[in-house]
Amino acid sequence: MEARVLDKQADGDVDIYWDFRRRLISAHFEPGLKLKPEELRLQYGCSASQLREILFRLSCDGLVEFQDNKGFKVPLASLELCNEAVEHRILIECEGARLSIEKGGLEWEAQLAAAHHKLAHVENKFKADQNSKELFDMWCECEWEFHETLISRCGSSLLIRKHRDIYDLHRMHMLAVSEGSGFRQDNIKEHLNILNAALDRDVEACQKGLANHLHKSG
Amino acid sequence: MEARVLDKQADGDVDIYWDFRRRLISAHFEPGLKLKPEELRLQYGCSASQLREILFRLSCDGLVEFQDNKGFKVPLASLELCNEAVEHRILIECEGARLSIEKGGLEWEAQLAAAHHKLAHVENKFKADQNSKELFDMWCECEWEFHETLISRCGSSLLIRKHRDIYDLHRMHMLAVSEGSGFRQDNIKEHLNILNAALDRDVEACQKGLANHLHKSG
DNA sequence: TTAAACAAAAATATCGAAATTTTTGTGAAT
DNA sequence: ATTCACAAAAATTTCGATATTTTTGTTTAA
């Protein structure tokens, strides 16, 4: 249940839940699209009831919309909701960063530097070829890893869980609203600013960098 | 742990979901207790599958624990998780209060004053008779209404939803850890402080009052 | 032409039985 | 006495059939 990366087709539910979640936040489904358990079951080789359970769970995080007797839908693109998600993510992530800067040690610095190194590498490659689906997926993974690592030493498993929730919600709405890949040239500079501020243990600068980065991301 | 049979089938899920949620956060179930859909179905007059769906949904908010092939449980009492919930609730509620103070008008002030008036009334009665189950339920309701109203003008439906989630999680863990009713004499003074700071449009004082209030609540 | 009433079809929700997994209980071997 | 293997029981999960609700399409009356 906790694994973000799918581990094969060992456990029925788990794979389907996480695979479907990943597809949702990667804009594999058009906003407003109806999600029928009866149809989706064919893609995953399970029953409609199982899909229904999974869709209910995803609806808790706002990743799918549910209406009684009307079934499930991919949430409509909404600039307002996207903005609310941005603000909430800033709130959570700035707090997580502050705590990590206070509590994190050399090991954390090293992990953050490593995550940023990978991210920067992928971003530079992606900058050159923004049409590559493979690079886009890689960028999504690296972006997540960097931001997750940034808050990883906050000391609160609850905050980490809530951060993942809002990160995914934000990403989904951002992609739905912008209709682009979500990648901007300035990302590279902004990520570097955040990294440097974190390594300098400068809470103010780090939070400012984060807020700026996320606001511009839309 | 009384068995309440609901024969009303009208709104299906909805009633069961919210009734069960209410019972969970009111400490009607002992921490660690196994929640078997097959048993619970008798109390609600529905099928086990339906209960399973509902339990899955509640597990998203951390109100019940799920383990693959092991079923559902009431989360164990955990001081650590309770502390994490407190901190997270402070983060959310202070932000909501700040925004409400900035954006709220006279109507909001009136609603907050009204909510506090009810709360103060019930708290004074409850202070005299802390064993009354009826007063306790009423206090829970009024406490929620006051804190909810405080952030109600924040302008973000997302923040409001997230606040309810963390309020419920905090309340559940607080009751599980303290094993008391969660009511303290100082509540009365603290709630008044929060009210006055909000009406004075003093963000600093309001947030300080909130943090103090919630920290002491455990 | 529009609107209301109704019937047919499609979609959704509910349910209990069957399959799978975990837990419990029993007895043999070390 | 302890451990291990294995069978029995209990619990969990999966599944598709049935019931209910919504949507669609058609007819009729104003």
Side-chain angles (χ1 to χ4, degrees):
Chain A
M1 284 295 297
E2 294 298 334
R4 186 176 178 83
V5 180
L6 324 174
D7 31 275
K8 287 291 183 180
Q9 263 153 7
D11 266 312
D13 241 30
V14 184
D15 292 311
I16 302 176
Y17 175 82
W18 287 106
D19 184 68
F20 199 78
R21 187 177 172 115
R22 185 188 52 73
R23 287 171 74 192
L24 274 170
I25 65 179
S26 306
H28 280 63
F29 301 100
E30 189 188 358
L33 184 71
K34 217 152 189 333
L35 297 169
K36 304 178 192 173
E38 193 57 44
E39 286 180 9
L40 294 165
R41 97 195 199 86
L42 301 175
Q43 293 178 34
Y44 286 105
C46 66
S47 71
S49 328
Q50 215 177 334
L51 251 313
R52 189 180 149 88
E53 271 180 9
I54 290 167
L55 288 169
F56 258 127
R57 282 202 273 164
L58 290 165
S59 76
C60 298
D61 293 337
L63 263 26
V64 316
E65 229 176 72
F66 169 76
Q67 262 194 303
D68 205 45
N69 285 328
K70 300 283 184 66
F72 304 90
K73 286 199 311 181
V74 179
L76 289 168
S78 153
L79 192 56
E80 192 186 348
L81 238 167
C82 188
N83 289 333
E84 293 183 6
V86 171
E87 294 303 329
H88 195 74
R89 186 177 153 194
I90 291 172
L91 183 71
I92 303 276
E93 202 159 322
C94 280
E95 176 75 354
R98 180 181 70 81
L99 291 165
S100 283
I101 289 173
E102 285 176 6
K103 301 183 179 189
L106 182 62
E107 187 56 37
W108 173 66
E109 289 183 12
Q111 284 179 15
L112 191 62
H116 180 269
H117 182 79
K118 278 200 283 182
L119 175 59
H121 180 76
V122 172
E123 287 194 316
N124 276 310
K125 286 189 86 171
F126 190 46
K127 182 173 66 174
D129 177 13
Q130 296 207 25
N131 291 325
S132 164
K133 182 76 187 63
E134 198 187 350
L135 280 174
F136 172 69
D137 287 342
M138 223 184 273
W139 176 64
C140 284
E141 188 58 32
C142 289
E143 230 261 341
W144 159 254
E145 197 180 320
F146 176 70
H147 285 278
E148 214 274 338
T149 303
L150 183 65
I151 69 149
S152 65
R153 288 303 188 283
C154 67
S156 167
S157 56
L158 182 66
L159 192 79
I160 289 173
R161 201 165 348 123
K162 297 284 184 183
H163 176 256
R164 189 194 55 206
D165 290 346
I166 192 59
Y167 181 95
D168 287 351
L169 188 69
H170 172 230
R171 171 152 288 277
M172 189 182 69
H173 280 288
M174 199 245 294
L175 291 179
V177 168
S178 73
E179 298 206 6
S181 72
F183 177 80
R184 295 167 299 110
Q185 301 281 52
D186 284 350
N187 267 332
I188 298 175
K189 204 190 304 175
E190 290 164 17
H191 283 139
L192 184 61
N193 281 341
I194 294 167
L195 170 72
N196 286 332
L199 296 181
D200 286 348
R201 308 291 171 149
D202 188 336
V203 173
E204 282 269 330
C206 187
Q207 293 186 336
K208 212 169 156 184
L210 266 175
N212 174 60
H213 172 54
L214 295 178
H215 274 133
K216 286 192 180 163
S217 295
Chain B
M1 222 149 314
E2 77 283 10
R4 302 175 51 216
V5 179
L6 301 184
D7 43 6
K8 195 175 169 192
Q9 210 83 349
D11 278 335
D13 250 29
V14 183
D15 290 315
I16 303 176
Y17 175 82
W18 287 105
D19 184 71
F20 199 78
R21 187 177 172 116
R22 186 188 51 73
R23 288 171 73 191
L24 273 170
I25 65 178
S26 307
H28 280 63
F29 302 99
E30 189 187 359
L33 184 70
K34 217 153 189 330
L35 296 169
K36 303 179 193 173
E38 194 57 43
E39 286 180 8
L40 294 167
R41 95 194 200 87
L42 302 175
Q43 295 178 31
Y44 286 105
C46 67
S47 71
S49 326
Q50 216 178 333
L51 252 314
R52 190 181 149 88
E53 271 181 9
I54 289 166
L55 288 168
F56 260 127
R57 281 204 274 165
L58 291 164
S59 77
C60 297
D61 294 336
L63 262 27
V64 316
E65 229 176 72
F66 169 76
Q67 264 194 303
D68 204 44
N69 285 328
K70 299 284 184 67
F72 303 90
K73 287 199 311 181
V74 179
L76 290 167
S78 152
L79 193 56
E80 191 185 348
L81 238 167
C82 188
N83 288 333
E84 293 183 3
V86 171
E87 295 303 330
H88 196 73
R89 187 178 153 194
I90 290 173
L91 183 71
I92 303 278
E93 202 159 322
C94 281
E95 175 75 353
R98 180 181 71 80
L99 291 164
S100 282
I101 289 174
E102 286 176 5
K103 301 184 179 190
L106 183 60
E107 187 57 36
W108 172 65
E109 290 183 11
Q111 284 180 15
L112 191 63
H116 180 267
H117 182 80
K118 279 201 283 182
L119 175 59
H121 180 78
V122 171
E123 286 193 317
N124 276 310
K125 288 189 86 170
F126 191 46
K127 181 173 68 175
D129 177 13
Q130 297 208 24
N131 290 326
S132 165
K133 182 77 185 64
E134 198 188 348
L135 280 174
F136 171 70
D137 286 342
M138 221 184 274
W139 176 65
C140 285
E141 187 60 30
C142 290
E143 231 260 341
W144 159 253
E145 199 181 320
F146 176 70
H147 285 279
E148 215 273 336
T149 304
L150 183 66
I151 68 149
S152 64
R153 288 304 187 284
C154 67
S156 167
S157 56
L158 182 65
L159 192 78
I160 289 173
R161 198 162 354 119
K162 296 284 185 184
H163 175 256
R164 189 194 55 206
D165 289 346
I166 192 59
Y167 181 95
D168 286 352
L169 189 69
H170 172 229
R171 172 151 288 277
M172 187 182 70
H173 279 290
M174 199 245 293
L175 291 179
V177 168
S178 74
E179 298 206 6
S181 72
F183 177 80
R184 294 167 299 110
Q185 301 280 53
D186 285 349
N187 268 332
I188 298 174
K189 202 189 305 175
E190 290 163 17
H191 282 139
L192 185 62
N193 281 341
I194 294 166
L195 170 72
N196 287 331
L199 296 181
D200 287 347
R201 309 289 172 151
D202 188 337
V203 174
E204 282 268 331
C206 187
Q207 293 186 336
K208 212 169 156 184
L210 266 176
N212 174 60
H213 172 55
L214 295 179
H215 274 132
K216 285 192 181 163
S217 295

